[in-house]
Amino acid sequence: MKQSLTTLTPLLGGLRTLLLRTPRVTATARRFSAPTTTTTTTTRRPPPSTPLHSRHFTSTPTTPSNSNSNSSSPTPTPKQQQPITSYTYTDLTPHPPPNTLLIDVREPSEYAAGHIPAAVNLPILSHPDAMFLPPDEFRERFGFEKPVAGGGGEVGGVVFYCKAGIRSAAAARVAVEAGWAGVGEYKGSWVDWSRRKAEEEEGGEGGVGGKKKEE
């Protein structure tokens, strides 16, 4: 028994030394941390919308195609109207210029009450189509040849007059539109002519501008 204890003593001392050298394992060291898996959910965001006012639209202007763009058709030139000649009392007295037809455009009753010598009557108010009539119908209606080319009238021009120049001015414009040549107007018309004629006759009788009246 005594020998057994003597033998075990060195063994226990070695075991004790071994235990002292072995590091202690604590409860904390025995804990194992389980790996944490983090699941990340990625949310796909739509791209930001561009405001309407900042959007740029590229538009290509459309040029209408003209099939006649290459055609070299001449541009029509507006018809130029001939000027209307203005006549005065002295131009028509004592008679109109040669080959000039003097036309009174007042109504027949006015013409019958008094007119310039050598004048023919063409009542423009009651016959507004007179300038456009064929030569034969013109002659039958008014009693003289139509003073236009091919109308039979051997005249170089016409002079219109009325009472105060209103109707004669309108008649001259219509005659130009109808193609009459050498158109003129007496702006003073019958009022001016009758006054000037009366002044000449009074002057001749009183000795002013003419011979003295024989006693």
Side-chain angles (χ1 to χ4, degrees), residues 67-130:
S67 58
N68 298 326
S69 59
N70 297 328
S71 61
S72 58
S73 58
T75 303
T77 304
K79 184 179 179 181
Q80 295 181 353
Q81 293 184 351
Q82 59 175 326
I84 299 175
T85 306
S86 180
Y87 287 81
T88 63
Y89 174 83
T90 56
D91 295 330
L92 304 175
T93 306
H95 49 74
N99 297 327
T100 300
L101 182 63
L102 185 61
I103 301 178
D104 189 327
V105 297
R106 297 177 299 170
E107 294 304 301
S109 58
E110 297 176 278
Y111 177 82
H115 59 272
I116 301 175
V120 295
N121 186 219
L122 178 63
I124 193 66
L125 290 182
S126 56
H127 299 274
D129 62 337

Side-chain angles (χ1 to χ4, degrees), residues 68-209:
N68 298 326
S69 59
N70 297 328
S71 61
S72 58
S73 58
T75 303
T77 304
K79 184 179 179 181
Q80 295 181 353
Q81 293 184 351
Q82 59 175 326
I84 299 175
T85 306
S86 180
Y87 287 81
T88 63
Y89 174 83
T90 56
D91 295 330
L92 304 175
T93 306
H95 49 74
N99 297 327
T100 300
L101 182 63
L102 185 61
I103 301 178
D104 189 327
V105 297
R106 297 177 299 170
E107 294 304 301
S109 58
E110 297 176 278
Y111 177 82
H115 59 272
I116 301 175
V120 295
N121 186 219
L122 178 63
I124 193 66
L125 290 182
S126 56
H127 299 274
D129 62 337
M131 311 289 185
F132 303 94
L133 293 175
D136 294 342
E137 186 176 352
F138 185 94
R139 182 179 60 254
E140 292 178 1
R141 186 181 299 186
F142 303 110
F144 62 95
E145 300 290 346
K146 187 176 182 180
V148 294
E154 300 298 330
V155 297
V158 293
V159 180
F160 295 100
Y161 81 92
C162 57
K163 180 180 180 181
I166 304 299
R167 285 172 285 179
S168 60
R173 290 193 296 269
V174 173
V176 170
E177 294 179 359
W180 291 27
V183 178
E185 62 170 316
Y186 177 21
K187 294 183 177 181
S189 289
W190 174 249
V191 171
D192 180 72
W193 191 91
S194 59
R195 177 182 61 81
R196 297 283 295 273
K197 190 65 176 178
E199 291 176 355
E200 284 187 355
E201 292 177 353
E202 291 177 0
E205 292 179 359
V208 179

Side-chain angles (χ1 to χ4, degrees), residues 6-52:
T6 305
T7 305
L8 292 175
T9 299
L11 292 176
L12 293 175
L15 181 60
R16 183 179 182 185
T17 303
L18 181 61
L19 292 175
L20 293 175
R21 292 179 179 178
T22 303
R24 295 181 181 180
V25 179
T26 59
T28 305
R30 294 178 181 178
R31 296 178 182 177
F32 298 94
S33 299
T36 303
T37 304
T38 304
T39 304
T40 304
T41 303
T42 304
T43 304
R44 187 175 182 180
R45 298 181 180 179
S49 59
T50 306
L52 183 60

Side-chain angles (χ1 to χ4, degrees), residues 56-71:
H56 298 279
F57 298 93
T58 303
S59 59
T60 303
T62 303
T63 304
S65 59
N66 186 4
S67 58
N68 298 326
S69 59
N70 297 328
S71 61

